[in-house]
Amino acid sequence: QRLYYGTFTWNLPWLDFKVYGSDMTLRSPFNNIDYDGSALPIAAFDGTNNQNASKTLELQFLSNNDSWLADRLTWVAGFYYIEGTLGYDPAHLSAAPEAIDSVFDVIGLDTPSALRSLIDEFNIFSTPADDGGITLGFHGLLGTESYSWYAQGTYAITDTWDLTLGGRYQTEKRFMEKSETR
């Protein structure tokens, strides 16, 4: 994993200005999860390249002791941005025939014959537990890009009563950077 983080502050006579930024990358070379918890490989997941990367930037404008109405009003306004990628490139989800049949048993149905024929015909879809299972290989990377503007102020009406108002506008896009199944 790698993380870079920085902060910059500039105190002006009428407000304070702050900048925060980060760049994080986390890679896990191998993940393996045994879903059934037994000694047999009935249902399992493995991923050989788990990726999690993000970059952030935040700009803040804050009131200080020299701001207009500083004895009664405190406020903050700013901008926040994040972009990131998360997912596996590649990963595998494996299920032995017993796991496939049990899914249909739970809902009170037999495994559809068309699915059973497909599994039997394409022997390349097999698990270490038994021929006839399914291994689904996939690559999936989800991208995110988001930014927001925000502001909040608190006005001291009396020594015991304050009024706080604020707002935030945010937009977010999520998209597939890579998606493939085998």
Side-chain angles (χ1 to χ4, degrees), residues 42 93-100 116 118-120 122-136:
I42 294 173
L93 183 60
S94 301
E98 299 84 9
I100 298 164
R116 178 58 57 208
L118 184 66
I119 290 169
D120 292 340
F122 294 100
N123 199 17
I124 57 169
F125 299 115
S126 62
T127 65
D130 190 12
D131 286 340
I134 294 177
T135 296
L136 173 64

Side-chain angles (χ1 to χ4, degrees), residues 39-101:
L40 299 174
I42 294 173
F45 170 85
D46 70 81
T48 55
N49 188 9
N50 179 6
Q51 300 180 28
N52 184 354
S54 66
K55 295 178 182 175
T56 65
L57 175 67
E58 183 171 8
L59 307 174
Q60 281 188 352
F61 303 93
L62 300 106
S63 62
N64 61 25
N65 290 337
D66 296 326
S67 297
W68 180 67
L69 294 175
D71 58 329
R72 292 255 181 227
L73 179 66
T74 59
W75 54 267
V76 60
F79 170 80
Y80 182 79
Y81 175 80
I82 185 170
E83 69 178 41
T85 301
L86 176 67
Y88 287 93
D89 190 17
H92 304 91
L93 183 60
S94 301
E98 299 84 9
I100 298 164
D101 293 338

